[in-house]
Amino acid sequence: MDGPNETQDIIRSAEENQTDQHENPPPPPNPIPSHPLSSPAAAAGGGGSSSSASTTMARIVSRALPFASRSPQLGAALIRSAPMRCPPLPAAAPTASLLSWRGFTPSSEPSRSAPPPPPLPMPPFAGFLAGIRSFRRGRRGQSAARRAQPQDPIPSPPPAPKESEIELYARIGIDDDTPEDPEVLNIVEILKLNVPMAMKIALDGLLDSNYKTRDTSISDVGRYDKVEVSVLLCNDNFIQNLNKEWRGEDSCIEMLSMSQYIPDLDVPILMLGDIVISVETAARQAEERGHTLLDEVRILAVRGILRLLGFDHQTSDESAVEMEKEEQLILKSLRWKGKNLAKSVLDSGKRHTETSDGQVTSGLKRAGSLRFYRPKFKYIFCDMDGTLLNSKSQVTARNAEALREARSRGVNIVIATGKARPAVIDALNMVDLSGRTGIVSESSPGIFLQGLLVYGLQGREIYKRNLDQEVCREALLYSLEQKVPLVAFSQDRCFSMYDDPLVDSLHYVYHEPKAEIVSSIDQLLGTAEIQKVLFLETPEGISSALRPFWEKAIEGRARVVQAQPDMLELVPPATSKGNGVKILLDHLCISPDEVMAIGDGENDIEMLQLASLGVALANGSEKTKAVANIIGATNDEDGVAQAIYDYAF
């Protein structure tokens, strides 16, 4: 962490300059004219307004003190919008959360008879710096004693400048909806040192600057005892809502700064305002620009400080040039990486990304940025055919990436499908999502065969329901007589009465176990327990003949389920995928309020109704879309990924 070293370099340089001033006092400086006061108090995109400069300070030196990273107050402007997660500050040590600046202002010499003022309390972390000051003051005292030895009287020296202290409250916080990402937490600690360093240089620059476009509402910080600023790190959702509330613009922005300065208010505290930075946008921009997230946050923090100090690059080309000049000066002084401001403004307007297949998608939430979002759900139950699988029966790279990202954020992915478990493992194995490190395996929970087989923790079977044997016999006879291909499912195995290209397609296209051909119905029913049977026919044949026939033939003994237009299934009565979800939730002691479900077919209706948020893909049946909370993109448009990015976080 480079922050402390940089701070000590600045302090040493300033201390040496102070020593030179005391030993060789310069002539009185010319007074610096102060500027009239006025106040821009409105929030600004990419920043706010207001600044401060001292007409009396000969030099500003920063001393960084530690303070709580999550202050109970972010500032008046954010109290309503940004609750902070933090422990309360200790009442007995108020200076522990301050960043002190020490300057010198002319004053009359104190009475020699008066008792010496009590020493300032020693704040934590300042022992080393205080030791340096004591050593140098000791040397100056010895030198003065040697000069006082001559016999001739020496005229009294001019009054020494009285030491005054301006304290900067720099509160660094994280929005409640942003997870405690290790990198972001580390940046918070670094900002505790970096913010006052940048503020010091910015205020030093105002003492002798002659910028034409800067708002000079704040011109004199010498009359204040304290200067306060806050920095909040958040995600895109938070800053977009804040941008809409403060500026009336319903769009995401990289940074907002909101001035709290009130002109002509005679108080000892100067409240500059609040700086809000989206770490998610910063992470995207850092990746695009080839530097770290810390580099980007530093740039945005400097930009926010300048906006609070009255710079505004949006008013004119000249103002943009002046703000960029000051920004680069601060960044170079601190040896931080910089970015051309005009180019940054153009980059910040890019809110879309192009995928590998040429499609343009929203960039507000995409892979790699979900770490800045807190999950809304503990579980996502996802269908396979027509949902996670596209029309080629494949899991796309973007869907796989979204599942990995959600899982890395602590969300449990559970497959709820009409498929057999081996089919799901095979399909997800193609994108490295099967096995013990994936989302499905023989030792993971899951719902298969339309909820007729449910596996719980460690892959243990917790529920199984078989189809009535007489219904099975009737369906097998119908297949033989009408020459309609049929596949019977028995846990991890499939059976059929004869070979057929459609039966083979169930294995080669849909990943189901290869059907075993049996010679007779009695042989099949005598060797396996059947959970469901599936007819393979054209969509027209199913809708015109097959479905009407079986709905009447099995009434009360079984039910008809149609997950795909060219497939018709017979399953036990009073069963559904939703019932399997409920059984698994009870087993895991999970409330439906913690569940998001994604599906497309009629067999997904009960599951979508049970979940707290049900998402039906646009390619789904009209009945399914009618009961869903959200209608997403199609399965060929990575509908699962979009649903996760948009609604799971």
Side-chain angles (χ1 to χ4, degrees), residues 47 90 175 217 240 294 299 360 399 487 498 564 567 573 606 619 641:
D175 170 52
S217 298
Q240 181 169 347
L294 173 60
I299 293 170
V360 176
N399 278 346
V487 176
Y498 55 87
Q564 298 292 315
M567 299 179 189
E606 294 87 351
N619 56 285

Side-chain angles (χ1 to χ4, degrees), residues 313-375:
H313 65 277
Q314 296 176 331
T315 56
S316 67
D317 291 341
E318 184 180 9
S319 67
V321 171
E322 290 192 345
M323 182 171 175
E324 180 178 342
K325 178 181 177 182
E326 187 67 14
E327 178 184 312
Q328 292 303 314
L329 186 149
I330 296 173
L331 294 173
K332 288 180 180 178
S333 298
L334 295 169
R335 299 188 182 97
W336 295 348
K337 289 186 179 179
K339 173 70 178 176
N340 179 271
L341 180 59
K343 182 70 163 57
S344 297
V345 174
L346 293 175
D347 291 346
S348 65
K350 297 178 182 178
R351 289 289 178 257
H352 295 84
T353 10
E354 188 170 324
T355 60
S356 58
D357 56 2
Q359 295 182 344
V360 176
T361 58
S362 171
L364 291 183
K365 288 185 184 177
R366 68 173 192 247
S369 66
L370 290 183
R371 64 194 180 105
F372 303 120
Y373 287 85
R374 188 176 300 278

Side-chain angles (χ1 to χ4, degrees), residues 475-496:
L476 292 166
L477 282 172
Y478 185 94
S479 172
L480 289 171
E481 294 171 358
Q482 303 297 326
K483 300 300 179 183
V484 178
L486 176 146
V487 176
F489 287 77
S490 177
Q491 290 191 283
D492 293 346
R493 301 171 66 188
C494 290
F495 299 93
S496 184

Side-chain angles (χ1 to χ4, degrees), residues 64 78 113-114 157 201 279 365 369 390 406 414 427 479 508 620 635:
L78 290 181
S113 62
I201 296 176
V279 287
K365 288 185 184 177
S369 66
N390 61 14
V414 178
S479 172
Y508 293 110
N635 63 325

Side-chain angles (χ1 to χ4, degrees), residues 39-59:
S39 172
S49 295
S50 294
S51 174
S52 45
S54 173
T55 62
T56 57
M57 297 177 76
R59 188 170 301 276

Side-chain angles (χ1 to χ4, degrees), residues 422-533:
V424 176
I425 293 175
D426 183 65
L428 291 176
N429 184 56
M430 295 183 174
V431 288
D432 296 324
L433 282 174
S434 66
R436 290 188 176 273
T437 59
I439 63 173
V440 64
S441 69
E442 293 183 355
S443 59
S444 64
I447 299 162
F448 305 98
L449 301 181
Q450 307 297 4
L452 302 175
L453 269 177
V454 180
Y455 297 97
L457 296 174
Q458 287 80 48
R460 179 171 57 87
E461 181 184 302
I462 60 174
Y463 179 80
K464 182 172 74 172
R465 179 83 179 272
N466 298 328
L467 185 63
D468 181 79
Q469 278 210 347
E470 287 304 312
V471 173
C472 291
R473 187 180 297 275
E474 293 172 20
L476 292 166
L477 282 172
Y478 185 94
S479 172
L480 289 171
E481 294 171 358
Q482 303 297 326
K483 300 300 179 183
V484 178
L486 176 146
V487 176
F489 287 77
S490 177
Q491 290 191 283
D492 293 346
R493 301 171 66 188
C494 290
F495 299 93
S496 184
M497 299 299 298
Y498 55 87
D499 285 317
D500 188 275
L502 291 178
V503 173
D504 291 337
S505 72
L506 206 61
H507 171 65
Y508 293 110
V509 177
Y510 293 98
H511 309 281
E512 298 289 4
K514 187 170 178 59
E516 304 172 33
I517 306 302
V518 294
S519 57
S520 69
I521 296 175
D522 289 336
Q523 178 190 356
L524 174 58
L525 297 180
T527 57
E529 294 179 332
I530 307 300
Q531 282 82 52
K532 72 171 188 176
V533 295

